[in-house]
């Protein structure tokens, strides 16, 4: 047993104690003395596995002893405590100046404590598309957005908005209505069509009459949102 090895063990023990006391009840931190596999556990904080100082090395510790080329760090691998609780573990090998493993610091996080919380959060943020009648955006629309969407629609067809044919204009108007853009003030003027044309495009859609309402019947404010017949 060299002085260097013993120094490494003493310094590692400080780390184990500090980490374990920082996360009490959540994380077990163990220092293994790999020079003595039959009594490898030199220090333990947390005690979630029920092990004690003087207990033997685990399979991973034995693998490090037998294989100098074993990885220095194994990060976040799944594990289980003796009573079946799920754990997430990390093992850090400590080498001496000769490159030989003399110790390992192992952290075992009890993730079973978070399983119920994770399920509750998942239920809280879950949405159900089957109960959503239409696409909804929780922001107010603006004329600038309307122009951007209209330009993009026309550009996807290699045209300008003014060059769109009747079928494409009808498709555009119905799409804009579904997305709430016809609520934007002066939207009809922005589109460059008449109020009557908008009603014709939307005729028969949910919430729209089959015939354009006359002046005496009103008929809502959605097309243009300003009540005027913009041409």
């Amino acid at each position: 047993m060299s002085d260097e090895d013993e120094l490494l063990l003493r310094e590692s023990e400080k780390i184990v104690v500090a980490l374990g006391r920082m996360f009490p009840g959540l994380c077990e931190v163990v220092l293994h003395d790999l020079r003595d596999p039959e009594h490898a556990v030199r220090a333990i904080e947390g005690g979630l596995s029920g092990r004690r100082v003087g207990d033997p090395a685990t399979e991973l510790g034995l693998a490090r002893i037998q294989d100098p080329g074993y990885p220095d760090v194994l990060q976040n691998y799944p594990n289980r405590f003796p009573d079946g609780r799920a754990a997430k573990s990390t093992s850090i090998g400590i080498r001496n100046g000769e490159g030989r493993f003399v110790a390992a610091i192992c952290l075992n996080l009890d993730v079973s404590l978070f399983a119920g919380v994770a399920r509750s959060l998942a239920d809280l943020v879950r949405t159900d598309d089957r109960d959503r009648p239409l696409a909804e955006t929780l922001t107010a629309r603006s004329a600038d957005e309307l122009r951007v969407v209209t330009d993009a629609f026309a550009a996807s067809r290699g045209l300008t908005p003014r060059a769109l044919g009747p079928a494409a204009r009808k498709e555009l108007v119905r799409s804009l209505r579904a997305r709430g853009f016809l609520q934007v003030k002066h939207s009809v003027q922005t589109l460059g069509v008449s109020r009557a044309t908008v009603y014709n495009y939307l005729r028969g859609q949910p919430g729209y009459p089959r015939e354009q309402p006359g002046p005496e019947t009103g008929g809502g404010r959605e097309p243009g949102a300003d009540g005027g017949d913009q041409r």
Side-chain angles (χ1 to χ4, degrees), residues 180-209:
F181 280 105
L182 293 190
Q183 297 289 347
V184 175
K185 190 173 183 180
H186 302 308
S187 59
V188 174
Q189 182 181 27
T190 301
L191 292 172
V193 296
S194 69
R195 184 179 178 84
T197 298
V198 170
Y199 270 110
N200 286 334
Y201 287 162
L202 298 176
R203 185 183 300 164
Q205 294 266 294
Y208 274 79

Side-chain angles (χ1 to χ4, degrees), residues 31-114:
L31 174 62
H32 293 276
D33 183 347
L34 299 183
R35 303 168 304 175
D36 184 9
E38 293 297 321
H39 308 89
V41 177
R42 170 150 171 166
I44 185 166
E45 284 290 331
L48 299 179
S49 67
R51 288 176 295 174
R52 297 182 178 182
V53 172
D55 280 353
T58 62
E59 294 86 348
L60 193 153
L62 295 175
R64 273 212 170 94
I65 294 171
Q66 296 167 3
D67 181 8
Y70 204 82
D72 285 351
V73 178
L74 293 179
Q75 188 85 49
N76 295 334
Y77 59 90
N79 213 336
R80 285 201 176 274
F81 292 111
D83 60 4
R85 286 173 296 160
K88 182 172 75 169
S89 299
T90 291
S91 177
I92 308 165
I94 309 296
R95 298 178 186 266
N96 61 14
E98 299 173 358
R100 179 170 51 86
F101 285 117
V102 295
I105 297 175
C106 297
L107 298 90
N108 304 305
L109 179 68
D110 185 354
V111 295
S112 68
L113 298 172
F114 306 106

Side-chain angles (χ1 to χ4, degrees), residues 168-188:
R169 282 182 180 274
K170 182 176 182 179
E171 180 184 351
L172 172 61
V173 168
R174 291 191 172 191
S175 173
L176 292 174
R177 190 239 173 176
R179 298 169 64 181
F181 280 105
L182 293 190
Q183 297 289 347
V184 175
K185 190 173 183 180
H186 302 308
S187 59
V188 174

Side-chain angles (χ1 to χ4, degrees), residues 90-178:
T90 291
S91 177
I92 308 165
I94 309 296
R95 298 178 186 266
N96 61 14
E98 299 173 358
R100 179 170 51 86
F101 285 117
V102 295
I105 297 175
C106 297
L107 298 90
N108 304 305
L109 179 68
D110 185 354
V111 295
S112 68
L113 298 172
F114 306 106
V117 175
R119 283 193 296 269
S120 297
L121 290 175
D123 289 341
L124 182 64
V125 302
R126 187 186 67 233
T127 59
D128 195 337
D129 288 340
R130 293 175 299 177
D131 295 334
R132 186 177 63 179
L134 48 79
E136 180 182 33
T137 302
L138 303 180
T139 57
R141 300 300 191 182
S142 68
D144 287 341
E145 287 181 296
L146 172 61
R147 293 187 185 93
V148 170
V149 171
T150 301
D151 289 345
F153 179 92
S156 69
R157 290 157 175 76
L159 300 169
T160 64
R162 299 285 178 175
L164 291 172
R169 282 182 180 274
K170 182 176 182 179
E171 180 184 351
L172 172 61
V173 168
R174 291 191 172 191
S175 173
L176 292 174
R177 190 239 173 176

